[in-house]
Short mmCIF file of all heavy atoms in Angstrom, two decimals:
data_model
loop_
_atom_site.label_atom_id
_atom_site.label_comp_id
_atom_site.label_asym_id
_atom_site.label_seq_id
_atom_site.Cartn_x
_atom_site.Cartn_y
_atom_site.Cartn_z
N GLN K 80 -2.36 -16.55 -9.63
CA GLN K 80 -3.05 -17.83 -9.81
C GLN K 80 -4.47 -17.54 -10.52
O GLN K 80 -4.82 -18.36 -11.39
CB GLN K 80 -3.26 -18.55 -8.43
CG GLN K 80 -3.78 -20.02 -8.74
CD GLN K 80 -3.85 -20.68 -7.38
OE1 GLN K 80 -3.44 -20.26 -6.33
NE2 GLN K 80 -4.27 -21.96 -7.53
N ALA K 81 -5.07 -16.46 -10.18
CA ALA K 81 -6.40 -16.15 -10.73
C ALA K 81 -6.29 -15.50 -11.99
O ALA K 81 -7.04 -15.69 -12.93
CB ALA K 81 -7.15 -15.30 -9.76
N ARG K 82 -5.29 -14.58 -12.21
CA ARG K 82 -5.19 -13.78 -13.44
C ARG K 82 -4.13 -14.13 -14.43
O ARG K 82 -3.92 -13.62 -15.52
CB ARG K 82 -5.04 -12.32 -12.98
CG ARG K 82 -6.07 -11.73 -12.03
CD ARG K 82 -7.37 -11.46 -12.82
NE ARG K 82 -7.34 -10.19 -13.58
CZ ARG K 82 -7.60 -10.10 -14.84
NH1 ARG K 82 -7.95 -11.12 -15.60
NH2 ARG K 82 -7.51 -8.91 -15.36
N GLU K 83 -3.14 -14.97 -13.86
CA GLU K 83 -2.01 -15.45 -14.59
C GLU K 83 -1.22 -14.26 -15.17
O GLU K 83 -0.87 -13.33 -14.36
CB GLU K 83 -2.44 -16.48 -15.74
CG GLU K 83 -3.07 -17.61 -15.22
CD GLU K 83 -3.47 -18.64 -16.28
OE1 GLU K 83 -3.61 -18.27 -17.50
OE2 GLU K 83 -3.64 -19.85 -15.89
N ASN K 84 -0.96 -14.20 -16.47
CA ASN K 84 -0.08 -13.15 -16.99
C ASN K 84 -0.78 -11.76 -17.15
O ASN K 84 -0.23 -10.84 -17.74
CB ASN K 84 0.62 -13.55 -18.26
CG ASN K 84 1.67 -14.61 -17.98
OD1 ASN K 84 2.30 -14.64 -16.86
ND2 ASN K 84 1.93 -15.48 -18.91
N ALA K 85 -2.07 -11.66 -16.70
CA ALA K 85 -2.85 -10.47 -16.78
C ALA K 85 -2.52 -9.65 -15.51
O ALA K 85 -3.41 -8.80 -15.15
CB ALA K 85 -4.28 -10.70 -16.90
N LEU K 86 -1.44 -9.89 -14.99
CA LEU K 86 -1.07 -9.27 -13.65
C LEU K 86 0.19 -8.45 -13.86
O LEU K 86 1.10 -8.81 -14.40
CB LEU K 86 -0.75 -10.22 -12.51
CG LEU K 86 -0.41 -9.69 -11.19
CD1 LEU K 86 -1.52 -8.82 -10.48
CD2 LEU K 86 0.00 -10.80 -10.23
N VAL K 87 0.11 -7.21 -13.42
CA VAL K 87 1.29 -6.23 -13.38
C VAL K 87 1.57 -5.79 -11.94
O VAL K 87 0.61 -5.46 -11.21
CB VAL K 87 0.99 -4.96 -14.32
CG1 VAL K 87 2.24 -4.11 -14.36
CG2 VAL K 87 0.65 -5.35 -15.73
N LEU K 88 2.82 -5.77 -11.57
CA LEU K 88 3.21 -5.42 -10.24
C LEU K 88 3.94 -4.02 -10.34
O LEU K 88 4.57 -3.80 -11.32
CB LEU K 88 4.10 -6.49 -9.55
CG LEU K 88 3.54 -7.91 -9.49
CD1 LEU K 88 4.57 -8.74 -8.81
CD2 LEU K 88 2.24 -7.82 -8.64
N GLY K 89 4.01 -3.32 -9.28
CA GLY K 89 4.64 -2.04 -9.25
C GLY K 89 4.67 -1.61 -7.80
O GLY K 89 3.95 -1.99 -6.93
N GLY K 90 5.70 -0.58 -7.62
CA GLY K 90 5.72 -0.04 -6.28
C GLY K 90 6.38 1.35 -6.11
O GLY K 90 7.22 1.73 -6.92
N GLU K 91 6.03 1.99 -5.04
CA GLU K 91 6.61 3.27 -4.68
C GLU K 91 8.13 3.11 -4.30
O GLU K 91 8.85 4.05 -4.50
CB GLU K 91 5.89 3.76 -3.43
CG GLU K 91 6.56 4.90 -2.69
CD GLU K 91 6.03 5.15 -1.31
OE1 GLU K 91 5.27 4.28 -0.68
OE2 GLU K 91 6.42 6.13 -0.69
N MET K 92 8.54 2.05 -3.76
CA MET K 92 9.85 1.80 -3.27
C MET K 92 10.91 1.72 -4.35
O MET K 92 12.10 1.50 -4.04
CB MET K 92 9.91 0.68 -2.30
CG MET K 92 9.47 -0.67 -2.82
SD MET K 92 7.70 -0.89 -3.13
CE MET K 92 6.86 -0.26 -1.65
N PHE K 93 10.53 1.86 -5.64
CA PHE K 93 11.45 1.82 -6.75
C PHE K 93 11.23 3.10 -7.52
O PHE K 93 10.07 3.40 -7.89
CB PHE K 93 11.32 0.54 -7.67
CG PHE K 93 11.57 -0.69 -6.91
CD1 PHE K 93 10.55 -1.36 -6.25
CD2 PHE K 93 12.87 -1.17 -6.72
CE1 PHE K 93 10.86 -2.53 -5.61
CE2 PHE K 93 13.13 -2.29 -6.04
CZ PHE K 93 12.05 -3.00 -5.45
N GLU K 94 12.24 3.77 -7.87
CA GLU K 94 12.19 5.09 -8.58
C GLU K 94 12.25 4.90 -10.04
O GLU K 94 12.91 4.04 -10.56
CB GLU K 94 13.34 6.01 -8.11
CG GLU K 94 13.11 6.36 -6.60
CD GLU K 94 14.38 7.14 -6.02
OE1 GLU K 94 15.03 7.90 -6.79
OE2 GLU K 94 14.54 7.02 -4.85
N ALA K 95 11.44 5.73 -10.77
CA ALA K 95 11.25 5.54 -12.21
C ALA K 95 12.58 5.44 -13.07
O ALA K 95 12.60 4.69 -14.01
CB ALA K 95 10.32 6.63 -12.76
N ASP K 96 13.52 6.18 -12.57
CA ASP K 96 14.75 6.19 -13.47
C ASP K 96 15.63 4.91 -13.25
O ASP K 96 16.67 4.76 -13.83
CB ASP K 96 15.62 7.43 -13.23
CG ASP K 96 16.02 7.61 -11.79
OD1 ASP K 96 15.43 7.01 -10.87
OD2 ASP K 96 16.96 8.42 -11.61
N ASP K 97 15.08 4.02 -12.36
CA ASP K 97 15.80 2.74 -12.21
C ASP K 97 15.09 1.64 -12.99
O ASP K 97 15.37 0.46 -12.81
CB ASP K 97 15.89 2.31 -10.70
CG ASP K 97 16.91 3.13 -9.93
OD1 ASP K 97 17.95 3.46 -10.56
OD2 ASP K 97 16.76 3.40 -8.72
N GLN K 98 14.08 2.00 -13.74
CA GLN K 98 13.26 0.99 -14.49
C GLN K 98 14.09 0.04 -15.40
O GLN K 98 13.93 -1.11 -15.50
CB GLN K 98 12.12 1.64 -15.29
CG GLN K 98 11.21 0.65 -15.94
CD GLN K 98 10.38 -0.13 -14.87
OE1 GLN K 98 9.64 0.57 -14.15
NE2 GLN K 98 10.48 -1.42 -14.86
N LEU K 99 15.05 0.72 -16.12
CA LEU K 99 15.95 -0.14 -17.05
C LEU K 99 16.64 -1.20 -16.27
O LEU K 99 16.68 -2.25 -16.66
CB LEU K 99 16.83 0.81 -17.82
CG LEU K 99 17.80 0.04 -18.76
CD1 LEU K 99 17.00 -0.64 -19.81
CD2 LEU K 99 18.74 1.06 -19.38
N ALA K 100 17.34 -0.85 -15.21
CA ALA K 100 18.01 -1.81 -14.35
C ALA K 100 17.09 -2.84 -13.77
O ALA K 100 17.41 -3.98 -13.69
CB ALA K 100 18.75 -1.08 -13.23
N LEU K 101 15.87 -2.44 -13.45
CA LEU K 101 14.94 -3.30 -12.88
C LEU K 101 14.46 -4.37 -13.97
O LEU K 101 14.39 -5.59 -13.68
CB LEU K 101 13.66 -2.60 -12.36
CG LEU K 101 12.50 -3.38 -11.64
CD1 LEU K 101 13.10 -4.32 -10.59
CD2 LEU K 101 11.52 -2.46 -11.13
N ASN K 102 14.25 -3.86 -15.14
CA ASN K 102 13.90 -4.84 -16.21
C ASN K 102 15.02 -5.78 -16.63
O ASN K 102 14.82 -7.00 -16.75
CB ASN K 102 13.69 -3.98 -17.50
CG ASN K 102 12.36 -3.17 -17.40
OD1 ASN K 102 11.60 -3.40 -16.58
ND2 ASN K 102 12.18 -2.24 -18.36
N GLU K 103 16.23 -5.28 -16.52
CA GLU K 103 17.45 -6.19 -16.72
C GLU K 103 17.56 -7.24 -15.75
O GLU K 103 17.93 -8.35 -15.96
CB GLU K 103 18.72 -5.32 -16.83
CG GLU K 103 18.79 -4.42 -18.12
CD GLU K 103 19.97 -3.43 -18.07
OE1 GLU K 103 20.59 -3.26 -16.97
OE2 GLU K 103 20.29 -2.82 -19.11
N TYR K 104 17.32 -6.83 -14.45
CA TYR K 104 17.40 -7.78 -13.40
C TYR K 104 16.27 -8.85 -13.49
O TYR K 104 16.46 -10.02 -13.27
CB TYR K 104 17.20 -7.13 -12.00
CG TYR K 104 17.25 -8.03 -10.82
CD1 TYR K 104 18.39 -8.62 -10.45
CD2 TYR K 104 16.08 -8.21 -10.10
CE1 TYR K 104 18.41 -9.54 -9.29
CE2 TYR K 104 16.11 -9.11 -9.04
CZ TYR K 104 17.29 -9.69 -8.73
OH TYR K 104 17.34 -10.56 -7.61
N LEU K 105 15.02 -8.39 -13.85
CA LEU K 105 13.86 -9.38 -14.00
C LEU K 105 14.07 -10.29 -15.09
O LEU K 105 13.59 -11.47 -15.00
CB LEU K 105 12.61 -8.51 -14.28
CG LEU K 105 12.08 -7.70 -13.11
CD1 LEU K 105 10.88 -6.86 -13.57
CD2 LEU K 105 11.66 -8.60 -11.93
N THR K 106 14.78 -9.93 -16.12
CA THR K 106 15.11 -10.89 -17.24
C THR K 106 16.37 -11.73 -17.07
O THR K 106 16.88 -12.46 -17.95
CB THR K 106 15.14 -10.14 -18.52
OG1 THR K 106 16.17 -9.03 -18.47
CG2 THR K 106 13.75 -9.60 -18.82
N GLY K 107 17.15 -11.47 -15.84
CA GLY K 107 18.33 -12.29 -15.60
C GLY K 107 19.56 -11.73 -16.23
O GLY K 107 20.61 -12.40 -16.18
N LEU K 108 19.48 -10.49 -16.74
CA LEU K 108 20.78 -9.92 -17.32
C LEU K 108 21.63 -9.19 -16.31
O LEU K 108 22.80 -9.02 -16.56
CB LEU K 108 20.24 -8.84 -18.44
CG LEU K 108 19.63 -9.42 -19.64
CD1 LEU K 108 19.13 -8.23 -20.55
CD2 LEU K 108 20.54 -10.32 -20.44
N LEU K 109 21.03 -8.86 -15.13
CA LEU K 109 21.77 -8.12 -14.15
C LEU K 109 21.77 -9.06 -12.86
O LEU K 109 20.71 -9.52 -12.45
CB LEU K 109 21.00 -6.78 -13.88
CG LEU K 109 21.83 -5.69 -13.12
CD1 LEU K 109 23.00 -5.24 -14.05
CD2 LEU K 109 20.87 -4.42 -13.02
N SER K 110 22.95 -9.14 -12.24
CA SER K 110 23.01 -9.91 -11.09
C SER K 110 22.49 -9.23 -9.83
O SER K 110 22.21 -7.93 -9.84
CB SER K 110 24.58 -10.16 -10.79
OG SER K 110 25.19 -9.02 -10.36
N ASP K 111 22.28 -10.02 -8.76
CA ASP K 111 21.82 -9.37 -7.55
C ASP K 111 22.70 -8.29 -7.06
O ASP K 111 22.29 -7.21 -6.64
CB ASP K 111 21.63 -10.45 -6.44
CG ASP K 111 20.51 -11.40 -6.49
OD1 ASP K 111 19.41 -10.92 -6.95
OD2 ASP K 111 20.52 -12.46 -6.01
#
Side-chain angles (χ1 to χ4, degrees):
Q80 187 172 4
R82 304 286 281 128
E83 297 184 341
N84 289 332
L86 178 64
V87 180
L88 304 179
E91 169 201 4
M92 55 292 310
F93 298 95
E94 297 175 26
D96 58 345
D97 283 329
Q98 187 67 60
L99 179 59
L101 183 52
N102 291 346
E103 291 171 347
Y104 179 71
L105 290 171
T106 54
L108 295 174
L109 200 62
S110 69
D111 277 336

